[in-house]
């Protein structure tokens, strides 16, 4: 409801923007009637909810188009169903996010564990400096450097061009390799710092001292006990990152020309295509909720003290 009100209750003549600057008042009025913009806001919101549950019929001027449930409306610009548009763009964003997630977990958690293990040594200071630089570096800088070096100078990879997984899985992976690393290197730096802090806190607890007193090896302590106890904050951060990155990786998608949710959302905002904006924001919110629900389950797996009720 809040999302709907934020976008549809804002001042501005949506019919004029949709029709264009050269439309006459009569044409603007026709567009407003066609889009039901003359109806009260609560009536439009009720029709929106009905469309999600049972679908809805829309007049496109010359014909009537049925939008099957869950229907999020029709685009003001293209008359395309928002649900179909999202389903077209969503695989691109999911491919980017989940591929990058594997990399940022491996790189970030591994670096954090190594920093905590080598605390106070030169290698730990070097890793800390690298992670600080990673947090401070914008994603488009890393992406540009990777493209210039890897694609331009070394010519190890072609310039990225999205290929559907169903068409060619190998080319799909090769073309997403640079976007994965560009997004993952930024996030890995945050995971490395969080993992290091959590590991140092866990290693200072009494049960870890007990293990050491009984002669348990340091690698076993870190791998089997300390890492598991320090993993809860990592799970929480990963849930937030995955949920928000579905629609928030705009810079990465734009830099590499990936036709995903983020890039389409920016375009919809620029042309004031409100049904597309509302539909995509709802989908992004859904993934945030889903990622946090999965994280709640993983808490119990990582920490035996957590009980799901």
């Amino acid at each position: 409801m809040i999302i709907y009100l934020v976008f549809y209750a804002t001042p501005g003549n949506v019919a004029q923007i949709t029709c264009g600057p050269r439309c006459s008042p009569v044409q603007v009025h026709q567009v407003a009637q066609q889009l039901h913009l003359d109806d009260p806001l609560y009536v439009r919101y009720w029709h929106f909810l009905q469309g999600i549950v049972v679908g809805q019929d829309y007049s496109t001027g010359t014909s009537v188009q049925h939008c099957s449930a869950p229907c999020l409306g029709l685009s003001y610009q293209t008359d395309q169903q928002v649900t179909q548009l999202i389903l077209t763009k969503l695989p691109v964003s999911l491919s980017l996010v989940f591929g990058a997630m594997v990399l940022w977990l491996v790189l970030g958690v591994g670096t954090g564990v190594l920093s905590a293990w080598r605390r106070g040594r030169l290698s730990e200071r070097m890793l800390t400096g690298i992670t600080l630089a990673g947090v401070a570096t914008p994603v488009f800088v890393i992406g540009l450097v990777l493209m210039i070096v890897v694609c331009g100078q070394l010519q190890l990879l072609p310039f990225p061009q999205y290929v559907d997984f169903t068409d060619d899985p190998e080319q799909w992976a090769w073309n997403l390799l640079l976007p994965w690393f560009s997004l993952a290197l930024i996030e890995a730096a945050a995971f490395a710092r969080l993992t290091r802090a959590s590991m140092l806190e866990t290693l200072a607890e009494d049960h870890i001292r007990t293990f050491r007193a009984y002669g348990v090896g340091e690698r076993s302590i870190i791998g089997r006990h300390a890492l598991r106890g320090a993993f809860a904050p990592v799970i929480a951060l990963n849930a937030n990152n995955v949920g928000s990155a579905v629609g928030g990786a705009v810079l990465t998608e734009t830099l590499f020309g990936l036709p995903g949710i983020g890039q389409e959302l920016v375009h919809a905002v620029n042309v004031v295509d409100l049904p597309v904006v509302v539909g995509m924001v709802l989908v992004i919110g859904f993934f945030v909720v889903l990622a946090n629900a999965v994280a709640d389950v993983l808490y119990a797996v990582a920490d035996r003290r957590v009980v799901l009720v």
Side-chain angles (χ1 to χ4, degrees):
M1 187 191 308
I2 293 174
I3 292 171
Y4 193 92
L5 291 176
V6 164
F7 288 104
Y8 281 96
T10 52
N13 192 338
V14 177
Q16 180 69 63
I17 297 173
T18 304
C19 187
R22 297 183 180 180
C23 288
S24 64
V26 175
Q27 291 174 315
V28 173
H29 181 66
Q30 290 176 348
V31 171
Q33 287 184 325
Q34 179 181 333
L35 300 177
H36 302 287
L37 297 176
D38 293 334
D39 295 337
L41 185 61
Y42 68 89
V43 174
R44 284 185 280 161
Y45 180 63
W46 175 250
H47 289 161
F48 177 75
L49 294 180
Q50 282 184 321
I52 295 177
V53 178
V54 299
Q56 195 168 168
D57 292 330
Y58 288 91
S59 172
T60 58
T62 57
S63 61
V64 176
Q65 180 177 347
H66 178 71
C67 180
S68 301
C71 177
L72 299 175
L74 299 184
S75 168
Y76 286 166
Q77 301 295 321
T78 63
D79 287 335
Q80 184 181 1
Q81 295 184 17
V82 175
T83 307
Q84 293 180 351
L85 179 63
I86 292 174
L87 291 177
T88 302
K89 305 294 183 179
L90 191 58
V92 181
S93 295
L94 293 181
S95 298
L96 172 64
V97 171
F98 284 103
M101 181 192 71
V102 175
L103 290 176
W104 77 49
L105 284 176
V106 172
L107 296 175
V109 174
T111 302
V113 171
L114 186 60
S115 297
W117 187 18
R118 310 288 291 182
R119 182 184 182 184
R121 302 183 184 183
L122 178 61
S123 57
E124 186 267 339
R125 296 176 182 176
M126 293 177 60
L127 289 174
T128 301
I130 293 173
T131 55
L132 287 173
V135 172
T137 306
V139 64
F140 61 86
V141 173
I142 293 179
L144 285 173
V145 170
L146 286 177
M147 282 198 293
I148 292 173
V149 175
V150 177
C151 300
Q153 296 181 351
L154 301 179
Q155 296 184 353
L156 297 176
L157 292 173
F159 285 95
Q161 184 177 2
Y162 184 76
V163 177
D164 287 335
F165 179 81
T166 55
D167 294 338
D168 192 335
E170 184 178 355
Q171 288 300 317
W172 169 83
W174 278 111
N175 282 276
L176 282 174
L177 201 57
L178 287 185
W180 284 341
F181 271 100
S182 298
L183 183 59
L185 289 177
I186 297 295
E187 301 294 344
F191 276 90
R193 297 188 65 190
L194 179 62
T195 304
R196 177 183 179 275
S198 299
M199 285 288 295
L200 292 177
E201 181 179 353
T202 305
L203 289 172
E205 293 181 358
D206 292 338
H207 70 281
I208 298 296
R209 296 194 188 99
T210 303
F211 286 136
R212 285 173 174 160
Y214 276 97
V216 179
E218 194 69 17
R219 293 186 179 182
S220 178
I221 291 176
I222 291 177
R224 296 183 57 185
H225 305 286
L227 180 59
R228 187 167 185 172
F231 217 63
V234 175
I235 293 174
L237 178 61
N238 189 62
N240 291 328
N241 285 4
V242 169
S244 59
V246 172
V250 179
L251 290 176
T252 306
E253 291 182 0
T254 303
L255 179 63
F256 293 100
L258 301 177
I261 290 287
Q263 193 173 17
E264 185 63 30
L265 181 58
V266 172
H267 172 72
V269 171
N270 289 333
V271 298
V272 200
D273 199 345
L274 296 184
V276 176
V277 174
V278 172
M280 289 192 170
V281 171
L282 286 175
V283 170
I284 294 169
F286 166 77
F287 277 100
V288 172
V289 174
L290 178 63
N292 281 274
V294 174
D296 289 339
V297 177
L298 293 178
Y299 287 148
V301 177
D303 192 344
R304 297 174 182 177
R305 296 171 295 180
V306 177
V307 179
L308 297 177
V309 294

